[in-house]
Amino acid sequence: MFFAHSALAAPGDKEANQGINAAKGGFCKRAIPLLESAEGQRHRPSSAVPLADCYAKQGELLKASEIYHTVASEKKEPGYNARDVAAITSAKKKAAQIDARIPTLVVKSVEPYEGLVVEINGEAIGDPSTPQRFDPGVQLVVVARAEGHEESSQKITLKEKQRREIKLRLKPKPGATKPPEKKPPPKPVATKPPEKKPPPKPVATKPPEKKPPPKPVATKPPEKKPAATKPPQKPAEDKSGAGEVAERPVEMPEPTPPPRRRQRDVWLGAGFQGFFIPQIAFQLLGEGGRNVLVPGGDIALSTRLGGRFDLVFSVAYARFQMPETPFKPKGHPDTDYEIVESDLQALQASARLVWNIPLDRDEVFALRLGAGLGVGWTFLGDLYRTQAYPADAVPGDPSSFVPGDPYRYKKCRGPNDPAGSFRYCNQLDYDADHYPGYVEPSWFTRPSGRPQGLKPVVYPWLLLPEIGVALRPWDRVAFDLRVGASVTGLLGGLGMRVAL
C-alpha cells in the first residue's frame, strides 16, 4: 500500500512532476528539459502548458503559441485528471494572449518586379505581402531578388507586438533596360452627324394703322398770386450754455493681475513611506527570494534655500517583515538552501535636497526632483535562518532527497532529521546550528570560527533619484506624491505638508 502510487506511475510522470515544480518556482532553464522529456514519453496537458509558459518567458513565442493552440483544441480524454482539464481551459486564454505578443513582418514592393523572390533568414516566402510571424529579439535578414535588378538585403529585429511593414524598392542593374509598357489602343469615339434644322418660318407683318390727329386742348392763362413772404428765422440757440465745457469720454484703467501667492519657506509634513524589494534583488546575490513590501511612515521638516530648492530633514520608520523564503548563495549546491524569515524594524534619519519646478504661475502644481543621504538603525526584531530539505522526500530513503521546488522546502528539525536528510540537514561549519530557533547575529559580530553575521544594525541609506509631484490647493497646505530608488528598495511615498 505504501508503494502503490510509485508502481502505478506512468512513463514520464517523474520528469513531469519535477519540471512542473521547477516551472512554478521560476526555474525555466531546469524545467524545460524535464518537461520536454516528459512530453516525449507521454503527452499530458498539465505538463505541456507549463512547458509553453517557460518558452514564452524565454521569448520563444512561436513554440509557446503552437503548444497553446494544440492543447486548446484537445478534448477531455480518459485518464485526464483535474489538472489536465484546467490546463486545457487556461490554454485557450493563453493562446490569444501569446498571439497578440508575436510580432509580424510584411514586405510590399512599390512596383511589380518580374521573377521577384523574397527570402527571410534563407527561407523563401511564398506571399511576402501577407503578415509573417517571428519571435521577438531575433535578427532577421531580408533578401529580395528580381530579374534585371540588383539584390537587396537588410537586417531587422522585431519587438513584441510590433507590426512592421517594409517597402521594397529594387535598383535596376547597369545596362538593363526596362521593357516598355504595352498600352491598349485608344477606343474610337463615335461621332454623331450634324442635325439638320428646318429653315425658320417667315414672320407675318401687319401694315401700320393710321391714327387720327390729336384734338387741340384748351388752356387757361395762369392766375397771378401775391408773393408770399416767409417769417424771419431765429438764430439757433446754443444748447451747451455759456461757460459750460463739453464732456469727454472717461478712460478706464486696465485691470491689474492678482498678486502672486506668497512663498512659504518652512514646512512640517508627515505621511506614508514604504519600500518594495523585488525578487530580482535577491537573485543578484543568490537564488530564491521573493517580492517584499516594507510599509512605514515619516515626519519631515523642510526649509527653502534660494528660490527653488528645499532642504528636507526627515525621520522614518520601516518594518522589514518577510515570511518564510528559500534562499542560497549564488553558485552553491541545492543542499545549501535555507528558510530565511525576518521581523526587523528600523528607524532612518536622512537629509534630502529637492528642486522645485513650478508648472503654473502660483505653484499650485510643481515637479520635484531630488536625492538624499542618511543612516538606518535596526532597533527591533531578528533575522532567522534554518536549513531546509525537499518536501517531496520520503523519510528514511536518502535517494528521494533530490532537488525540487525550493518554495516547497521544509525546515530541518536537526542534523539528519528527518532520517536520510544528511546532505541537506548537515553539520557543516558555517551552518551547523542553523535549525529552528537560530537567530542570525549582527554584521558587527563574528562568532569564533564562524562567518561574520548578516543582520544589519546600522546601515547607510541613499536615495537617487527622487521624482515627485506637489499639489498646493491652499496657501498653507500641500500634498506630495513621490517615487525613487534607494538601497533598501524602490521607494514610494504620499504625504501632506503644513506651512509654519
Side-chain angles (χ1 to χ4, degrees):
M1 293 177 61
F2 290 117
F3 297 96
H5 180 75
S6 301
L8 296 177
D13 282 359
K14 180 179 179 181
E15 292 86 348
N17 290 333
Q18 292 179 354
I20 292 171
N21 291 335
K24 287 181 180 179
F27 304 98
C28 282
K29 289 184 179 180
R30 184 189 309 168
I32 287 178
L34 292 171
L35 294 174
E36 287 178 343
S37 175
E39 282 292 295
Q41 299 179 56
R42 186 176 69 146
H43 166 69
R44 294 297 291 267
S46 57
S47 59
V49 170
L51 177 59
D53 293 341
C54 281
Y55 281 147
K57 288 181 180 179
Q58 292 191 347
E60 300 181 67
L61 305 187
L62 293 179
K63 285 185 179 180
S65 175
E66 182 180 357
I67 296 176
Y68 286 144
H69 283 285
T70 301
V71 175
S73 62
E74 293 186 30
K75 296 181 180 179
K76 183 178 179 181
E77 297 183 3
Y80 279 9
N81 54 27
R83 291 198 304 176
D84 295 320
V85 177
I88 294 174
T89 304
S90 65
K92 298 177 181 179
K93 181 178 179 181
K94 292 181 177 181
Q97 294 174 345
I98 202 71
D99 287 344
R101 293 172 55 191
I102 297 176
T104 60
L105 175 65
V106 175
V107 181
K108 291 185 178 181
S109 57
V110 296
E111 57 181 289
Y113 297 106
E114 186 176 355
L116 176 63
V117 177
V118 178
E119 295 180 355
I120 300 180
N121 285 355
E123 183 179 351
I125 305 300
D127 184 7
S129 61
T130 59
Q132 307 291 326
R133 306 198 310 171
F134 299 95
D135 283 327
V138 177
Q139 188 180 61
L140 305 177
V141 180
V142 182
V143 180
R145 304 183 187 90
E147 295 182 5
H149 292 79
E150 296 181 355
E151 181 181 291
S152 173
S153 176
Q154 58 177 310
K155 298 179 181 180
I156 62 172
T157 302
L158 301 178
K159 300 179 181 179
E160 281 196 17
K161 301 181 180 180
Q162 185 177 6
R163 303 293 178 257
R164 180 77 179 270
E165 181 177 314
I166 297 178
K167 297 293 185 181
L168 186 62
R169 188 186 301 273
L170 300 180
K171 295 181 180 180
K173 292 182 179 179
T177 57
K178 189 175 181 180
E181 297 181 358
K182 295 182 179 180
K183 296 183 179 180
K187 296 180 180 181
V189 181
T191 58
K192 293 182 179 181
E195 297 180 357
K196 295 182 179 180
K197 295 182 180 181
K201 296 180 180 181
V203 180
T205 59
K206 294 181 179 182
E209 296 180 356
K210 294 182 179 181
K211 295 181 180 182
K215 297 179 180 180
V217 181
T219 59
K220 294 182 179 182
E223 297 179 355
K224 294 183 179 179
K225 294 181 180 181
T229 59
K230 294 182 180 180
Q233 296 181 354
K234 296 181 180 180
E237 296 180 357
D238 188 1
K239 295 182 179 181
S240 62
E244 293 185 1
V245 180
E247 294 182 358
R248 297 181 180 178
V250 179
E251 296 182 358
M252 298 296 293
E254 295 183 0
T256 57
R260 290 181 178 270
R261 180 183 289 184
R262 179 184 172 185
Q263 179 62 51
R264 303 292 179 176
D265 293 333
V266 182
W267 297 80
L268 179 64
F272 165 81
Q273 175 179 280
F275 301 93
F276 174 72
I277 306 175
Q279 184 178 0
I280 191 174
F282 292 90
Q283 295 177 352
L284 294 176
L285 302 175
E287 297 183 18
R290 69 173 69 245
N291 296 327
V292 179
L293 181 63
V294 182
D298 71 332
I299 299 175
L301 178 67
S302 63
T303 180
R304 180 59 59 96
L305 299 178
R308 298 299 178 198
F309 289 92
D310 286 347
L311 184 59
V312 185
F313 299 95
S314 64
V315 177
Y317 165 80
R319 184 179 183 183
F320 293 87
Q321 181 81 27
M322 185 176 69
E324 295 182 356
T325 302
F327 182 80
K328 73 178 183 70
K330 184 173 292 187
H332 283 219
D334 189 79
T335 55
D336 282 356
Y337 264 112
E338 293 183 341
I339 303 295
V340 183
E341 52 188 316
S342 165
D343 57 4
L344 298 173
Q345 302 181 53
L347 291 176
Q348 296 173 344
S350 65
R352 310 193 323 268
L353 185 63
V354 181
W355 178 30
N356 295 274
I357 305 174
L359 302 180
D360 57 85
R361 178 177 178 271
D362 290 329
E363 295 191 32
V364 176
F365 292 94
L367 179 66
R368 292 164 62 89
L369 306 175
L373 288 172
V375 62
W377 170 45
T378 306
F379 69 96
L380 192 63
D382 290 302
L383 180 66
Y384 307 95
R385 297 172 60 187
T386 307
Q387 296 189 53
Y389 68 94
D392 298 332
V394 178
D397 182 6
S399 63
S400 64
F401 287 82
V402 295
D405 182 6
Y407 291 87
R408 298 182 62 242
Y409 279 20
K410 295 182 179 179
K411 294 180 179 180
C412 296
R413 297 188 292 269
N416 198 29
D417 188 1
S421 63
F422 56 86
R423 289 187 295 113
Y424 288 86
C425 307
N426 50 53
Q427 290 180 296
L428 299 178
D429 292 339
Y430 65 91
D431 59 354
D433 54 353
H434 290 192
Y435 294 107
Y438 173 78
V439 177
E440 181 71 12
S442 71
W443 59 14
F444 296 117
T445 304
R446 185 165 187 170
S448 176
R450 302 285 179 84
Q452 186 173 351
L454 299 178
K455 174 187 173 182
V457 177
V458 178
Y459 57 90
W461 187 80
L462 172 66
L463 175 65
L464 182 70
E466 178 189 51
I467 303 174
V469 177
L471 170 63
R472 187 184 173 191
W474 301 286
D475 183 48
R476 290 182 172 270
V477 178
F479 299 91
D480 296 320
L481 175 65
R482 57 196 182 97
V483 295
S486 72
V487 294
T488 52
L490 301 177
L491 176 142
L494 177 63
M496 183 182 73
R497 292 179 288 141
V498 178
L500 300 181

